[in-house]
Amino acid sequence: MSKVMFDYTKSVLERVSFDPALFCKELEKAIRTLLPFELDQLREWLFSFTIEKPELKQCLIIVNP
């Protein structure tokens, strides 16, 4: 089931990526619900996803350890 939650989180983040504030809010929700190893996967995905969307880079502060 954890793979399902991780995939759902990514799809939500992709859909709200047009608005940095909403993206950060959804990212905070994801951090509360995902397991630690999923957070590592999410962090890797975020770094590659935000390469094309520099306006979202400010949200990476939320997931940096």
Side-chain angles (χ1 to χ4, degrees):
M1 176 159 138
S2 63
K3 174 78 170 142
V4 173
M5 191 62 187
F6 178 70
D7 290 340
Y8 173 74
T9 299
K10 284 192 334 185
S11 71
V12 168
L13 290 172
E14 287 172 347
R15 281 186 264 145
V16 300
S17 64
F18 65 91
D19 181 3
L22 187 55
F23 186 85
C24 289
K25 184 177 177 182
E26 290 297 329
L27 186 54
E28 288 171 349
K29 284 186 200 176
I31 290 170
R32 289 192 303 264
T33 59
L34 294 176
L35 298 173
F37 75 93
E38 293 172 318
L39 285 176
D40 292 337
Q41 293 175 337
L42 182 65
R43 194 174 292 117
E44 290 176 19
W45 177 81
L46 281 168
F47 287 128
S48 64
F49 182 72
T50 57
I51 288 173
E52 299 172 6
K53 299 182 180 293
E55 67 275 7
L56 299 177
K57 287 209 184 269
Q58 64 189 5
C59 300
L60 294 180
I61 295 170
I62 298 170
V63 295
N64 280 339

